Amino acid sequence: MAANQNPKVFINTHQRGFPAHLHLPPGVDPSPIVAEFPENTFRWNPIGHYAEFPVDLSQTVVAVLHKHFMYVDMQYGRSEAEPEATTTVKRPAEARPSTWRQMGPRIPAAV
């Protein structure tokens, strides 16, 4: 079975001030994502292979992830090992690279 290729964001809902976690799929270079934020926004944990970031930036982080990935997995709860809620967020239509608006008006079919 193939590994999940979606990035994952975990938000602790039981501890105030607890940083959110960002897990990228194996082999993904984090540089383009990290470059869109001020320096030191992310603190990388090489042992757990994830980055910690301020939880109040979670919506912004997800928006940036959607520039690079179609789906982002979100997990909420007390513990990352046993999340209380999990959802997959699809890239919004306006963020998709091939929306109808970007393609321009459709040409009517010849009758």
Side-chain angles (χ1 to χ4, degrees):
M1 186 175 198
N4 187 348
Q5 293 301 304
N6 299 336
K8 179 178 82 173
V9 173
F10 171 76
I11 298 174
N12 188 313
T13 56
H14 295 274
Q15 272 186 293
R16 268 180 125 23
F18 191 82
H21 293 173
L22 168 62
H23 296 264
L24 293 174
V28 172
D29 178 19
S31 306
I33 296 161
V34 173
E36 298 202 33
F37 293 92
E39 193 172 334
N40 298 322
T41 298
F42 296 96
R43 189 172 70 232
W44 293 94
N45 181 325
I47 297 170
H49 303 289
Y50 65 88
E52 294 180 340
F53 63 94
V55 73
D56 59 325
L57 289 177
S58 59
Q59 287 184 321
T60 307
V61 169
V62 170
V64 170
L65 288 171
H66 275 143
K67 293 180 182 179
H68 304 276
F69 299 94
M70 179 63 97
Y71 300 98
V72 175
D73 294 335
M74 301 289 296
Q75 291 185 340
Y76 306 89
R78 182 180 306 262
S79 162
E80 201 163 349
E82 296 177 18
E84 295 165 11
T86 301
T87 187
T88 299
V89 182
K90 187 174 181 180
R91 181 187 299 166
E94 62 272 7
R96 293 183 197 143
S98 60
T99 61
W100 286 109
R101 190 174 302 171
Q102 289 175 333
M103 292 171 60
R106 294 195 297 178
I107 301 170
V111 182

